[in-house]
Amino acid sequence: MARQQVQLKAESMADAAYRAIRQKILDNVWAPGYQALEQALALELGMSRTPVREAGIRLANEGLVEVVPRHGIRVLPVSPSDMREIYEILSSLESTAAELVAKARPSAAELEPLEKASRDMEKALKRDDLDAWAQADERFHRQLMQMCGNAKLAAIVFNFWDRSHRARMLTLRLRPRPENSTREHLAIVQAIRRGDATAAGARFRAHRERASRELIELLQRHRMNQV
Amino acid sequence: MARQQVQLKAESMADAAYRAIRQKILDNVWAPGYQALEQALALELGMSRTPVREAGIRLANEGLVEVVPRHGIRVLPVSPSDMREIYEILSSLESTAAELVAKARPSAAELEPLEKASRDMEKALKRDDLDAWAQADERFHRQLMQMCGNAKLAAIVFNFWDRSHRARMLTLRLRPRPENSTREHLAIVQAIRRGDATAAGARFRAHRERASRELIELLQRHRMNQV
DNA sequence: AGGGGAATCAACGTATACATTAATGAGGAC
DNA sequence: GTCCTCATTAATGTATACGTTGATTCCCCT
């Protein structure tokens, strides 16, 4: 068997710019609405305008920024209405993914990562460690997407997670303890284990719809109209 | 009230390149697997490499091409497995859109375009005019997406239509007369008119799943492994 | 003749140059 | 003081230049 070549070619400056800018947005270092000129970014990143422009085009396609002709690259804010749209998409696609996973009848070994993530959520909740909880939650969802056998679907879901990342992080400590979420995950895993695709899909959909309602309500209650 | 300014600024060369290349791909002028060097494209389009590169980045993000470092921009082929993934996504999102439309309880006037498109499909089918049928079919689906109140969801769907456009056109004349499709559309409209979101979603899903099965089977039967 | 390696070439990634044009501000008329 | 016009400036969109590097070719050795 041929050994896998790991050819990790040095990433291009354009990729570096893309990653750097994306990270600043996700980490909320650049607040929504923040604008930066191409030249300024180039200077800051130690490169010319060309790769910065290319990164901007990619980020604009992914819906994280907007390129405003004379005002540079602008971090797009996310409104409650955007959140509604995003969660409609996530409900739809993630519940489909859950159905696909259930239909594939995964083995106990294949299900283990999902169960471990669920257990970690419970443990984190007992310790009142919300960051660990959020991490385990993300691991659960990511794992499920990777198991669904549809890479294009997973890519869309990851993109919309990115777009809604800031809002989730901001509301993490404003919402009640996520006991429901944790319970719902267990129910989803059970449905998948039974191979009950309909139930798995329905439960996932309910899970995301509840999360969406709570999140949007929180944003509005706290007057966070542009996150 | 201030008059709406319609500032139709001349499109940039990058936009022109984007549109030109996209059109060639959708029209199958450039077959799947076709490659073109940036320089050659620039020459052909009468511009420099810069806007061509930017168009390439956008098209790559949209999944229509791949940028292979020393071999230029390559038109991505679509395999039967890709088609399965694409139709899983379309089934999921379009059925969600149908549910959203049904929940919004559109008026008779708002439903009219959908019904007209359905009638046009029937008429075209009677005339055995498959091109007109496909056009009306697309109009139906596009109309529904525009009515769903979720622009981001619609954008994803449009993108995946693009990706699967060639395969649909190629199989248009290989499949049996699309009587089922036409009937299914009418059933969807009826469910929407009743405000029965569950039925509208279920029927749409069935509609897409049948179309997907037929299409993939056709591709495989005709050995079209790379469309 | 076949294979290995060096020389050549060409496409790309990035930097830089330049023309265009929107934004800013000064200055004058009322 | 306010509004309008025009000059100035600066950021962009595009073109061009250039160094790097993967691919190809040719040649020599066996």
Side-chain angles (χ1 to χ4, degrees), chain A residues 16-141:
Chain A
Y18 169 81
R19 286 201 309 112
I21 297 173
R22 176 173 174 279
Q23 206 55 53
K24 293 215 197 229
I25 296 171
L26 292 189
D27 293 348
N28 212 21
V29 176
W30 289 353
Y34 176 84
Q35 294 187 4
L37 297 176
E38 290 179 2
Q39 184 57 261
L41 281 179
L43 206 63
E44 181 176 333
L45 297 170
M47 58 183 74
S48 80
R49 274 178 53 220
T50 309
V52 172
R53 262 183 83 80
E54 298 190 348
I57 293 171
R58 288 180 57 189
L59 290 162
N61 274 339
E62 294 173 10
L64 286 177
V65 307
E66 179 187 28
V67 176
V68 190
R70 300 220 131 226
H71 302 275
I73 288 170
R74 173 167 172 272
V75 178
L76 276 178
V78 175
S79 69
S81 164
D82 289 325
M83 285 303 300
R84 174 187 58 77
E85 295 200 8
I86 290 170
Y87 269 81
E88 280 171 4
I89 292 164
L90 289 177
S91 289
S92 178
L93 291 180
E94 289 188 290
S95 64
T96 297
E99 287 174 21
L100 291 171
V101 172
K103 273 187 205 152
R105 302 306 312 255
S107 67
E110 288 169 321
L111 279 174
E112 172 54 20
L114 285 183
E115 292 178 339
K116 169 140 190 356
S118 301
R119 285 195 305 270
D120 289 350
M121 286 169 72
E122 283 187 314
K123 277 191 277 186
L125 207 51
K126 281 206 186 100
R127 296 202 312 274
D128 257 322
D129 184 345
L130 275 180
D131 291 308
W133 178 87
Q135 262 189 291
D137 181 59
E138 176 172 338
R139 216 166 63 236
F140 178 93
H141 284 269

Side-chain angles (χ1 to χ4, degrees), chain B residues 87-156:
Chain B
Y87 269 81
E88 280 171 4
I89 292 164
L90 289 177
S91 289
S92 178
L93 291 180
E94 289 189 289
S95 65
T96 297
E99 288 174 22
L100 290 171
V101 172
K103 273 187 204 150
R105 304 304 314 252
S107 68
E110 287 168 320
L111 279 175
E112 173 53 21
L114 285 184
E115 293 177 338
K116 169 139 189 357
S118 302
R119 285 196 304 270
D120 289 350
M121 286 169 71
E122 283 188 313
K123 276 191 276 185
L125 207 51
K126 281 205 186 104
R127 296 201 314 274
D128 256 323
D129 184 344
L130 275 180
D131 291 307
W133 178 87
Q135 263 189 290
D137 180 59
E138 176 172 337
R139 216 167 63 236
F140 178 94
H141 284 269
R142 179 174 299 275
Q143 183 65 33
L144 195 86
M145 294 313 299
Q146 280 166 350
M147 290 169 70
C148 84
N150 188 328
K152 300 187 213 314
L153 195 157
I156 306 172

Side-chain angles (χ1 to χ4, degrees), chain B residues 37-39 49-50 53 68-73:
Chain B
L37 297 176
E38 290 178 0
Q39 184 57 260
R49 276 176 52 220
T50 310
R53 263 183 81 80
V68 190
R70 300 220 131 226
H71 302 274
I73 289 170

Side-chain angles (χ1 to χ4, degrees), chain B residues 7-53:
Chain B
Q7 191 81 341
L8 66 117
K9 59 189 80 167
E11 78 174 347
S12 66
M13 314 230 80
D15 287 343
Y18 169 80
R19 286 200 310 111
I21 297 173
R22 175 174 175 280
Q23 207 55 53
K24 293 215 197 231
I25 296 172
L26 292 189
D27 293 348
N28 213 20
V29 175
W30 289 353
Y34 176 84
Q35 295 188 5
L37 297 176
E38 290 178 0
Q39 184 57 260
L41 280 179
L43 205 64
E44 180 178 333
L45 297 170
M47 58 183 73
S48 79
R49 276 176 52 220
T50 310
V52 173
R53 263 183 81 80

